[in-house]
Amino acid sequence: MKNKATTFFNVFLVIVFVFAFALPAYAGKTYKLGMSLAITGPTSDAGNPYAKGAEDWFKFVNETDYLGDGDKIDCPIRDDQYKNDVTKRFFEEFLDDGILIFLSYATGGNLALKRDFEEVQIPVIPASYHEGLIVDANYTFMPVATYSENAVGLAEYITENHKGDNIPQVAFFIHPSAFGRGPLEDTQKAIAEGMKIEIVEVVEHGTDLDNTAMLQRLVSKGVQYVICQTVQTPVATMLTDAQRLGVTAATFGETGKLTFLGAHYTGGSDLIALAGTATEGYIWADSYNLTSENNEGAKKQLELAERYGRDEKAANSHNYGAGILAAQIATEAIKMAKDAGMEVNRENLYKMMQKMNFNSFVAAGPVTYSETERIGVDVQNIYIAQDGIFKKIQSFESQYIQKVRAGR
Amino acid sequence: MSYFFQIIVSGIVVGSIYALAALGLVLVYKSSRVANFAHGQIIAGGAFITFFLTVRLGIPIFFSFLASMLITFFLAMSVERIFLRRLIGEPIISVIMVTIGLASIFDGLIYLTPFGSENFSFPTFLPTESIVVGGVSISWTQLVGVIITFVLIGGFSWFFKKSTVGISMRAVSDDQFGAMSVGISVPRVFGLAWATAGLSAAAAGCIIGNITGLNFETLHAFGIVVFPVVILGGLDSILGAVVAGIIMGLIQQFASGYLDGNFGLNGTGDVMPYIILLIILLFKPHGLFGIHEIERV
């Protein structure tokens, strides 16, 4: 009787052990990624919805078995508060954890870690679209058109739509950093290549409460267009002042008035939240599909946000879409490696990313990379602020940027 | 010529808002000799409280504005009571370090709310058209901001000169032991100083927020931006804050209007106030209206 009981217990133990070891194998593999960005601190108005977008996409992937075989993605999202030293620490911790792809954030942090990315040969998907991140770098995969493409593209848009015989007179309103200056330098190179605009003045802004002097100076110098490359808050103050002074152009390029245009981080629903009606007529270049377009992509973005209980503000933010896209690129790379029957490691993911070509519901065009191409979405949408939302005017790809792009 | 006058008007507008934002720093320093590094966070807090009361609770903005000043009044008083009162008599540097710590704590608390990382703007409650006189324009937002600034500064000046409590605060500022010997409660004065600083910070936050929009990083930066104003005016002088604020505003606007974009210069509007500050401090190291204390041993 005792032997029978022992035998039964032993069989039971074997069954337990078999299940204990077999279940995780059946449950699939977990691929580790890492994300560091400013959920709080400077620029967190962009970083916060960006983090939510990435988090929601990875949740969706895991819940719907998007990768197949029960495989999952584990992507811890850490708040670096826009501090480069903290980003570096997180990156090193992620490396110790064996991450396959690093989802990074700011221009400064990425520039500081650029050599590290190349040394450890890890694919990186940044939230900064600074052109310098892909110069002499192989492992950084820019999700969408760079700020330089935005600025040069807007300058091209001006030349194509400017009415009058004169050369369009342009001022740049930029952030006092590499983030602001890089696109200006590329526009100057485009001018040297023959683009027909004249940069009359460059304004590096501070913490301004009143831009009256600056705006009146620009008008007196005959400036017609102001291209902005900064974040929303200073643009909002400038637009409000321009509205008050009555110098905002009612129509594109109106003589004696200023037409305002800007790159990715200057526009969107946040700008309208800050500047209200002063935003009307603002022209914005961006590679994301906005929810105000009310198309299939917009519906999918809103569905994802609703599924995970996001508020209206986050759901409609183009930064939420940007976070989704970064997460989608990482996901597609893993899926491609799996589908090709390859081991999912950094080396193979790097190879897969160079062959990537897929359509995302948040992007203005297809996401494509190659052995030489490091920008996913080359298409930009030109939006105009009308009746409190941004409406698409057209899609385009910058031609001059191909002539002036450095290092590739 | 209207360009010149426009710059003067803009300078006065910007300067008076600087003065109001600086007022809280002066009030705390005047009574306790402490530079409050959490002032920017209180400015932002006041603006967000007004926004919350107006937009989320539907209270008319004028009452929200008054209520937020009242709330920050008591909040700042509580902060003094909980964190700073027990440091009376301790080295000033300890108290300053506590204010730096408080700034971090306030940052963390605000980051826990949507206000830490989202952008908002007050609902429009003033006419959007500008007032234009002789080619010089000023928005209603700016005009109302300047009026509120001068009303508050006038009120504080009267308070310090005429009211018993105000005179007590000045007495504590001049000589703590002397004030105690005539029966003035120094801790109570410190609490009041923080409370009034909180009140003025909330007013400044609302005015700045109405101009720039409500972004936490932008708003709390003004706590630091106005330090040169306070230093130029003299750390313990309300009149100094007003005069220095307007000087700073005018320098900024004139530099931006006449130097930027000419002679290959750029960004002088941000740099020039500091250059002028350094020059003035060479000749008046205690600021324009600061008290030059002479210790006889």
Side-chain angles (χ1 to χ4, degrees):
Chain A
M1 191 67 190
K2 195 179 174 186
N3 275 347
K4 254 188 173 179
T6 311
T7 308
F8 179 78
F9 182 69
N10 286 342
V11 170
F12 175 75
L13 270 183
V14 168
I15 291 167
V16 167
F17 273 102
V18 165
F19 270 95
F21 287 105
L23 270 178
Y26 177 76
K29 293 174 185 165
T30 298
Y31 306 108
K32 294 208 84 166
L33 311 178
M35 184 178 212
S36 172
L37 80 172
I39 299 173
T40 62
T43 75
S44 58
D45 50 349
N48 198 298
Y50 191 97
K52 287 172 180 164
E55 184 184 351
D56 289 355
W57 179 255
F58 288 133
K59 273 187 194 167
F60 176 79
V61 165
N62 292 341
E63 286 176 12
T64 58
D65 195 21
Y66 184 87
L67 292 172
D69 308 324
D71 289 2
K72 295 204 181 320
I73 291 173
D74 175 23
C75 182
I77 299 174
R78 311 277 294 269
D79 179 12
D80 60 27
Q81 295 194 312
Y82 203 63
K83 292 172 184 163
N84 294 347
D85 56 326
V86 180
T87 310
K88 186 171 171 61
R89 179 159 55 82
F90 287 163
F91 175 62
E92 285 165 356
E93 286 173 12
F94 283 142
L95 284 182
D96 292 342
D97 289 344
I99 61 163
L100 300 169
I101 295 174
F102 181 49
L103 289 92
S104 64
Y105 187 64
T107 301
N110 278 287
L111 287 172
L113 288 168
K114 193 166 140 180
R115 293 270 62 84
D116 299 40
F117 299 153
E118 298 300 306
E119 271 178 34
V120 295
Q121 301 186 333
I122 184 167
V124 174
I125 304 165
S128 162
Y129 310 142
H130 177 61
E131 188 86 16
L133 303 187
I134 51 169
V135 175
D136 300 328
N138 291 308
Y139 285 85
T140 299
F141 291 83
M142 199 75 81
V144 297
T146 62
Y147 307 133
S148 292
E149 281 184 271
N150 291 159
V152 174
L154 286 168
E156 286 175 57
Y157 181 80
I158 290 170
T159 59
E160 285 165 16
N161 293 281
H162 175 69
K163 293 180 180 67
D165 300 329
N166 66 323
I167 294 177
Q169 305 289 291
V170 177
F172 266 75
F173 181 75
I174 61 171
H175 194 271
S177 67
F179 160 69
R181 292 177 195 128
L184 167 70
E185 287 161 12
D186 285 324
T187 311
Q188 286 166 331
K189 286 180 198 165
I191 293 169
E193 288 287 333
M195 187 164 61
K196 293 277 183 270
I197 65 160
E198 185 181 347
I199 299 176
V200 180
E201 190 177 327
V202 177
V203 178
E204 291 195 2
H205 65 77
T207 313
D208 301 314
L209 276 176
D210 189 303
N211 293 287
T212 301
M214 184 264 287
L215 288 165
Q216 292 200 330
R217 188 178 69 242
L218 296 184
V219 172
S220 70
K221 284 183 171 180
V223 169
Q224 289 164 281
Y225 305 96
V226 181
I227 297 177
C228 308
Q229 166 50 18
T230 176
V231 291
Q232 290 105 339
T233 314
V235 176
T237 310
M238 179 174 66
L239 293 179
T240 311
D241 287 335
Q243 185 188 43
R244 168 175 58 83
L245 294 167
V247 296
T248 308
T251 55
F252 188 83
E254 184 186 355
T255 310
K257 298 287 173 74
L258 300 171
T259 300
F260 296 94
L261 311 93
H264 176 77
Y265 279 116
T266 66
S269 50
D270 274 323
L271 182 67
I272 292 169
L274 286 166
T277 56
T279 319
E280 292 291 296
Y282 186 76
I283 309 273
W284 180 45
D286 192 57
S287 292
Y288 289 97
N289 177 48
L290 301 185
T291 53
S292 53
E293 289 297 295
N294 198 26
N295 52 24
E296 281 306 306
K299 283 174 190 159
K300 285 183 180 171
Q301 180 173 325
L302 292 173
E303 277 168 19
L304 188 76
E306 192 184 355
R307 180 183 176 117
Y308 296 107
R310 300 302 182 190
D311 61 28
E312 197 183 339
K313 195 155 191 169
N316 287 292
S317 167
H318 68 289
N319 292 311
Y320 180 75
I324 293 172
L325 183 63
Q328 283 178 328
I329 292 169
T331 308
E332 287 305 314
I334 294 169
K335 199 167 192 313
M336 284 171 71
K338 275 191 66 183
D339 291 348
M342 300 167 96
E343 187 189 344
V344 180
N345 56 28
R346 282 181 205 161
E347 192 184 347
N348 288 336
L349 289 178
Y350 176 65
K351 283 179 191 163
M352 290 300 103
M353 287 184 81
Q354 293 182 87
K355 294 176 184 170
M356 189 172 282
N357 184 346
F358 76 99
N359 287 304
S360 163
F361 59 83
V362 294
V367 183
T368 57
Y369 298 109
S370 70
E371 286 186 5
T372 54
E373 177 63 49
R374 287 293 177 272
I375 294 168
V377 183
D378 293 305
V379 177
Q380 299 180 60
N381 285 346
I382 297 281
Y383 293 101
I384 185 166
Q386 275 177 354
D387 305 322
I389 55 169
F390 275 100
K391 294 176 182 170
K392 187 170 133 185
I393 303 174
Q394 67 176 77
S395 296
F396 82 107
E397 286 185 42
S398 169
Q399 301 304 310
Y400 270 98
I401 196 70
Q402 305 304 332
K403 297 180 186 175
V404 301
R405 178 158 281 152
R408 301 200 73 81
Chain B
M1 200 61 182
S2 69
Y3 181 59
F4 177 81
F5 286 113
Q6 180 68 62
I7 286 176
I8 288 181
V9 168
S10 296
I12 291 170
V13 168
V14 172
S16 55
I17 296 167
Y18 282 165
L20 181 59
L23 192 62
L25 286 172
V26 172
L27 289 170
V28 169
Y29 187 85
K30 197 173 170 64
S31 66
S32 59
R33 295 282 182 252
V34 169
N36 174 17
F37 284 91
H39 188 60
Q41 281 70 12
I42 303 173
I43 288 176
F48 289 131
I49 290 168
T50 308
F51 177 83
F52 181 82
L53 295 175
T54 308
V55 175
R56 302 286 159 86
L57 300 186
I59 298 170
I61 195 160
F62 178 72
F63 294 111
S64 302
F65 177 65
L66 293 178
S68 84
M69 288 202 290
L70 204 63
I71 291 167
T72 48
F73 179 91
F74 287 110
L75 277 178
M77 186 182 261
S78 310
V79 164
E80 192 279 336
R81 185 71 188 82
I82 296 165
F83 298 103
L84 297 159
R85 188 160 295 183
R86 60 196 70 210
L87 290 172
I88 289 175
E90 299 298 324
I92 292 296
I93 188 71
S94 306
V95 188
I96 290 173
M97 292 311 291
V98 168
T99 68
I100 292 171
L102 282 172
S104 288
I105 291 168
F106 292 157
D107 278 348
L109 289 174
I110 293 176
Y111 286 138
L112 288 174
T113 72
F115 300 119
S117 56
E118 290 182 22
N119 296 314
F120 304 92
S121 60
F122 286 118
T124 308
F125 62 99
L126 291 168
T128 49
E129 302 83 40
S130 300
I131 303 160
V132 183
V133 179
V136 176
S137 96
I138 183 168
S139 70
W140 279 95
T141 305
Q142 291 179 327
L143 184 66
V144 170
V146 171
I147 290 169
I148 291 172
T149 299
F150 279 100
V151 167
L152 282 171
I153 286 170
F156 280 119
S157 298
W158 176 87
F159 173 75
F160 279 108
K161 277 187 183 157
K162 303 287 181 189
S163 73
T164 311
V165 180
I167 291 167
S168 305
M169 289 171 84
R170 280 167 53 206
V172 171
S173 165
D174 287 343
D175 187 340
Q176 281 185 26
F177 288 109
M180 282 165 79
S181 69
V182 294
I184 294 170
S185 166
V186 173
R188 185 166 158 264
V189 165
F190 282 1
L192 266 176
W194 273 81
T196 45
L199 186 146
S200 69
C206 293
I207 292 166
I208 295 169
N210 208 20
I211 291 171
T212 64
L214 296 167
N215 174 280
F216 178 57
E217 300 302 325
T218 306
L219 287 170
H220 85 64
F222 277 91
I224 300 299
V225 166
V226 295
F227 258 96
V229 172
V230 179
I231 292 166
L232 178 61
L235 279 157
D236 51 5
S237 169
I238 293 176
L239 177 66
V242 177
V243 173
I246 290 172
I247 288 174
M248 286 292 194
L250 287 170
I251 292 170
Q252 211 174 54
Q253 291 299 311
F254 271 103
S256 177
Y258 287 103
L259 295 179
D260 283 356
N262 297 310
F263 322 112
L265 295 171
N266 200 344
T268 58
D270 289 322
V271 177
M272 200 52 76
Y274 289 94
I275 294 171
I276 303 291
L277 171 71
L278 286 173
I279 293 169
I280 291 176
L281 289 182
L282 281 176
F283 298 99
K284 291 187 76 72
H286 294 87
L288 293 173
F289 296 90
I291 294 170
H292 185 191
E293 288 173 351
I294 300 168
E295 268 189 47
R296 290 190 172 80
V297 289

